[in-house]
Amino acid sequence: AQSVAQPEDQVNVAEGNPLTVKCTYSVSGNPYLFWYVQYPNRGLQFLLKYITGDNLVKGSYGFEAEFNKSQTSFHLKKPSALVSDSALYFCAVLPYSGAGSYQLTFGKGTKLSVIP
Amino acid sequence: KAGVTQTPRYLIKTRGQQVTLSCSPISGHRSVSWYQQTPGQGLQFLFEYFSETQRNKGNFPGRFSGRQFSNSRSEMNVSTLELGDSALYLCASSLALRSPEQYFGPGTRLTVT
């Protein structure tokens, strides 16, 4: 079965500084990888996805993520954090080849706080 | 194009009752998936419907069920509610079965007292 680990429950970063939210995954075969963001009392908003191709994926609102197959990681990054980036971030994996259960599996989430 | 809509947004029920939640997918989307979000367990997959048939199921008891109508709208039902069923229930729609791109609704906040 597939799994996702987000090792940090919370990440604090000063406004204007670069941010990284970590994610590692475990899945049989090749993965689809996703990042979603959730604001209070809201559903999930899609940020970006990796399916195949370039290991550096660019997404919405200036976010990007780097797929590293050897480290089974998919860390979310942004060069300069904004206070409005403060939210809950979820990493998710979906098996590409149909191996394992074909369901979107989420990490526990990382709360990002950007300090003015 | 309108996004995924879920009704009601908030619901309070008593233990032992049953509840039905509704999800209308994005126009043209034929697959609907349901997720439960709780502080303790995080986001967990419930089931996926496509062409009015359940195609994929997570590890939830039989008290959790769903259905999909010919217009792709979906309902989720929970019978004999327990306190632990209090959660945010999220619906996601996608164009096809097992599509990697899912679009989430705002969720229904269910509180069981």
Side-chain angles (χ1 to χ4, degrees):
Chain A
Q2 62 263 27
S3 64
V4 177
Q6 293 180 243
E8 301 154 318
D9 291 336
Q10 176 145 358
V11 170
N12 298 322
V13 62
E15 186 177 24
N17 281 4
L19 70 87
T20 298
V21 182
K22 296 179 181 177
C23 170
T24 58
Y25 65 91
S26 173
V27 67
S28 299
N30 296 317
Y32 290 131
L33 293 160
F34 305 84
W35 277 100
Y36 288 88
V37 61
Q38 186 177 38
Y39 296 97
N41 299 316
R42 302 283 293 276
L44 298 178
Q45 293 180 32
F46 170 80
L47 276 179
L48 51 80
K49 68 177 184 288
Y50 171 83
I51 295 180
T52 188
D54 195 350
N55 288 345
L56 184 63
V57 179
K58 294 189 182 297
S60 307
Y61 312 118
F63 284 93
E64 58 188 29
E66 187 167 10
F67 171 64
N68 187 317
K69 188 171 184 177
S70 62
Q71 297 185 5
T72 61
S73 67
F74 190 58
H75 301 331
L76 180 71
K77 300 182 180 185
K78 187 173 183 182
S80 178
L82 301 173
V83 173
S84 58
D85 293 331
S86 298
L88 191 56
Y89 289 81
F90 290 94
C91 180
V93 67
L94 194 64
Y96 175 79
S97 62
S101 176
Y102 199 90
Q103 57 183 257
L104 199 56
T105 300
F106 289 88
K108 293 291 189 184
T110 298
K111 183 178 179 182
L112 174 66
S113 293
V114 181
I115 303 158
Chain B
K1 187 181 281 190
V4 178
T5 59
Q6 293 187 243
T7 56
R9 292 292 312 277
Y10 302 91
L11 205 49
I12 299 174
K13 289 286 188 179
T14 302
R15 192 170 47 183
Q17 288 185 315
Q18 76 165 14
V19 67
T20 299
L21 312 181
S22 180
C23 171
S24 293
I26 292 171
S27 177
H29 284 196
R30 298 177 60 197
S31 176
V32 173
S33 297
W34 288 88
Y35 297 85
Q36 181 196 64
Q37 185 179 16
T38 60
Q41 298 299 317
L43 278 154
Q44 294 184 287
F45 172 77
L46 279 155
F47 28 65
E48 179 179 15
Y49 283 86
F50 180 80
S51 292
E52 303 176 61
T53 303
Q54 188 182 95
R55 303 300 182 121
N56 203 2
K57 188 177 187 304
N59 295 322
F60 277 82
R63 299 187 298 109
F64 292 81
S65 63
R67 58 178 175 168
Q68 187 181 34
F69 302 94
S70 59
N71 62 358
S72 296
R73 188 178 70 86
S74 177
E75 289 182 346
M76 191 192 91
N77 185 78
V78 188
S79 62
T80 319
L81 283 166
E82 301 177 358
L83 295 179
D85 297 333
S86 294
L88 180 67
Y89 289 89
L90 293 165
C91 161
S93 78
S94 54
L95 277 170
L97 181 66
R98 300 187 171 189
S99 170
E101 299 195 31
Q102 298 189 22
Y103 298 84
F104 284 80
T108 294
R109 172 74 64 184
L110 171 65
T111 302
V112 182
T113 61

